[in-house]
Amino acid sequence: MKPAICEQFGIDFPLFAFSHCRDVVAAVTNAGGFGVLGGTAYTPETLDQELAWIDDHVGGKSYGVDLIVPAKFEGKGENLARGELAARIPEDYRGFIADLLAAHDIEPEASPRTGPSFLSGDTGKDLLEVAFSHPIKLIANALGVPPDYMIDAGKERGVPVAALVGAKEHAVKQVAAGVDLIVAQGTEAGGHCGEVTTLVLIPEVLEAIGDAVPVLAAGGIVTGRQMAGCVAMGAAGAWTGSVWLTTEEAETAPHTVRKFLAASSRDTIRSTGRTGKPARQLVSDWTDAWQPHEGGHQTLPLPLQSMLAEPVIRRVDVLAAQGHPGAQALATYFVGQGVGLMNKVKPAREVVREFIEDYLAATERLSNSLPD
């Protein structure tokens, strides 16, 4: 008999895989899990193309989309054009980055680029409309309560709306707002995360909301035994992200993959240096430079920091892959503390298989821990 959440989403195993790479999403879905495409960085046109590709490669199996529509961000409600928002980036910040690059033997660009406001929410409705034009089975939002238009659209179309939380009080607010699924994400997670560990957060959230909606566990989960532990605490399944960054299908920059494989769980840090919000990523000279309490530079609010940082970091990734020592010292990427268990590049399908086998072995150990 399948667990209720597997029946709900039409999957064989309650493993949800967040990835910015369509190939990973399709591979996990085809292996019996549930792939979720991170769609925030796409334009409506490119998101449509990516989802059409997934449709063609999953044969009607279930997958979802994750969009970041923040509750708070610089310029919210002001209807600012990209140039107007970029004008709010102080010039001394560009000077600081130029000095940082120069200190790593990287020539600063004559005309520094400014990235798109991916996290500003200005294209949230357009992306949502594109997502719902495809047969998605879940829409997820991070960084606050989903906007009313997302929740309303999900209910109209019969598509569950999920929300990520890092504290029990956030889960209570999300349930009150009408979300259908909670992803309780501990501080071990890669990307935006709170301060409470997964081991503590899961029971806290479950106690706070009861059985109002299913709860997926997230944060540092890269093995089936970890997933089994969370299910033993009452979670309905696991939401994972970092573990897919070292799969064969992932589009992770080559040097970053090598850093992941060599990293320990202590080689990550919660830093505001990429987006302006605390997000766990690999420790590097870039993250060190944006640690204000340790003599580093203060960061800008969301989305100004990402508009400033992303073009630079993408350039650093290219140089790092070419063997540039300074760029390799600066290179970083969002990843959780589970990176210490990510020691080999393998196909996403194999990762799913290993999750299942490890999960079954863990449940057997748990069963055998009690006397007959």
Side-chain angles (χ1 to χ4, degrees), residues 92-93 96 272-273 289-293 295-301 305 308:
D92 68 290
Y93 278 75
F96 172 75
T272 59
W290 297 99
Q291 292 293 99
H293 59 283
H297 204 289
Q298 185 72 38
T299 54
L300 293 166
Q305 184 69 21
L308 176 71

Side-chain angles (χ1 to χ4, degrees), residues 37-296:
L37 183 71
T40 298
Y42 295 108
T43 65
E45 294 74 22
T46 55
L47 179 61
D48 186 49
Q49 294 168 10
E50 297 295 284
L51 296 183
W53 185 94
I54 293 173
D55 293 339
D56 290 341
H57 287 78
V58 299
K61 295 184 177 70
S62 299
Y63 74 93
V65 173
D66 181 287
L67 300 175
I68 298 180
V69 184
K72 298 178 182 179
F73 55 85
E74 179 71 18
K76 182 176 182 179
E78 298 181 50
N79 295 317
L80 299 175
R82 173 178 166 181
E84 294 174 307
L85 201 54
R88 296 190 178 185
I89 299 174
E91 197 58 37
D92 68 290
Y93 278 75
R94 298 190 187 280
F96 172 75
I97 286 182
D99 292 342
L100 179 62
L101 293 177
H104 288 78
D105 298 319
I106 300 174
E107 187 70 27
E109 293 182 316
S111 300
R113 292 170 290 162
T114 301
S117 54
F118 292 146
L119 300 180
S120 71
D122 55 358
T123 59
K125 287 186 178 180
D126 293 336
L127 291 174
L128 189 67
E129 288 179 9
V130 169
F132 278 127
S133 71
H134 294 265
I136 62 170
K137 297 298 188 291
L138 177 73
I139 189 76
N141 180 65
L143 295 180
V145 176
D148 290 342
Y149 64 78
M150 180 181 287
I151 294 177
D152 292 342
K155 294 190 182 305
E156 288 172 8
R157 293 165 173 81
V159 176
V161 177
L164 276 69
V165 304
K168 64 179 182 180
E169 57 269 25
H170 297 162
V172 172
K173 290 180 181 178
Q174 298 282 12
V175 170
V179 303
D180 305 292
L181 180 69
I182 293 291
V183 178
Q185 180 177 265
T187 191
E188 299 95 323
H192 296 109
C193 61
E195 299 176 272
V196 183
T197 68
T198 305
L199 189 66
V200 173
L201 181 64
I202 302 307
E204 280 192 335
V205 167
L206 289 167
E207 184 175 316
I209 68 171
D211 58 358
V213 300
V215 174
L216 295 177
I221 301 172
V222 299
T223 67
R225 69 193 66 186
Q226 292 171 294
M227 179 179 174
C230 291
V231 171
M233 289 192 290
W239 178 282
T240 56
S242 297
V243 68
W244 311 106
L245 294 171
T246 53
T247 58
E248 290 180 359
E249 295 88 346
E251 297 176 344
T252 316
H255 179 72
T256 302
V257 172
R258 290 193 289 274
K259 288 184 102 170
F260 285 162
L261 298 178
S264 75
S265 58
R266 298 183 302 280
D267 292 325
T268 70
I269 187 172
R270 287 175 77 242
S271 168
T272 59
R274 286 196 68 153
T275 70
K277 291 275 191 181
R280 188 170 295 283
Q281 57 208 269
L282 276 179
V283 171
S284 75
D285 286 3
W286 179 271
T287 60
D288 289 346
W290 297 99
Q291 292 293 99
H293 59 283
E294 296 180 7

